[in-house]
Amino acid sequence: MAENPEPEAQARRAAIADELRRLEESAMYSAQTQFETAKHWRGVHLMMGIPTSLLAAVAGTTALVESTGRIAAGILALVSAGISAVMTTVNAPLRMSHATGCANAYLEVQTAARQARTVDLPVLPVDEARLVLAELTARRDEQNRAADPPGRRAYRRAQANIGRGGQTYAVDHDRPAAGRSVPAERPGAAESSYG
């Protein structure tokens, strides 16, 4: 008498679902951390760019208005040039753009993993589900190689965002539990938080 392959298939399907959940969670934290990193670089750019522009404007005005203000204008121009050189070296806009691109790529992996787990996994043959998992894992690993390592502050802020309910959807809160009905209307049900 041949053994029933169904329990083995169910166990593999459950293991794939667990791995998809892990992949989804990993991508969620990585996305939020990269978004926090992008916010950091945006702040650096503004904190350095605004004073640089103001100093350059004041130096130019001082040089044009007062003939005796040449030394002050020269000092202001040198400080402005120095900050500008640091800005060029740091290249905050490029770093911000890269972090945002990485965050969005992680969100793509997160969404695909969730959809594979909740929509496709119940109806896919186990071998096909395993291939989907392998493809999503490869995409996440590729993104891990492309992303710059985040700082601790970005990681802590990402954890806080997620802990406050970031990355939750109203539909997930409205889903009925066993025997419970869905509320007719929930305030803020259309809101989704991405911290």
Side-chain angles (χ1 to χ4, degrees):
M1 183 161 88
E3 290 184 34
N4 184 359
E6 191 59 34
E8 181 182 328
Q10 287 176 348
R12 283 191 69 203
R13 190 176 303 281
I16 291 170
D18 289 345
E19 284 301 314
L20 286 168
R21 269 196 184 90
R22 288 180 188 103
L23 191 61
E24 185 180 344
E25 182 179 348
S26 171
M28 175 178 61
Y29 278 94
S30 295
Q32 283 299 304
T33 302
Q34 290 296 322
F35 279 129
E36 288 302 323
T37 300
K39 290 177 193 177
H40 166 77
W41 288 117
R42 181 182 62 213
V44 167
H45 181 64
L46 290 174
M47 286 188 328
M48 294 179 85
I50 292 171
T52 300
S53 299
L54 291 175
L55 285 171
V58 171
T61 303
T62 303
L64 291 174
V65 173
E66 299 179 24
S67 61
T68 58
R70 288 187 197 154
I71 294 175
I75 291 170
L76 289 174
L78 286 173
V79 171
S80 177
I83 296 172
S84 181
V86 170
M87 283 181 60
T88 301
T89 302
V90 169
N91 204 354
L94 180 67
R95 290 174 186 246
M96 179 185 72
S97 177
H98 180 69
T100 301
C102 288
N104 286 321
Y106 280 122
L107 285 180
E108 290 173 11
V109 171
Q110 177 189 352
T111 300
R114 184 187 68 246
Q115 290 172 349
R117 179 177 54 83
T118 60
V119 178
D120 300 331
L121 184 60
V123 296
L124 275 179
V126 174
D127 290 338
E128 284 183 43
R130 180 63 184 98
L131 290 174
V132 168
L133 174 62
E135 186 265 327
L136 288 172
T137 300
R139 282 175 55 190
R140 191 268 327 261
D141 292 347
E142 179 182 330
Q143 195 52 45
N144 284 345
R145 286 188 293 276
D148 291 332
R152 281 183 196 235
R153 183 171 185 262
Y155 181 74
R156 284 194 306 268
R157 289 180 60 102
Q159 282 184 312
N161 286 343
I162 292 168
R164 284 190 307 266
Q167 296 233 352
T168 58
Y169 296 93
V171 70
D172 295 330
H173 297 292
D174 292 342
R175 194 165 310 263
R180 230 176 33 183
S181 63
V182 176
E185 190 172 319
R186 188 172 68 79
E191 296 175 15
S192 176
S193 172
Y194 280 97

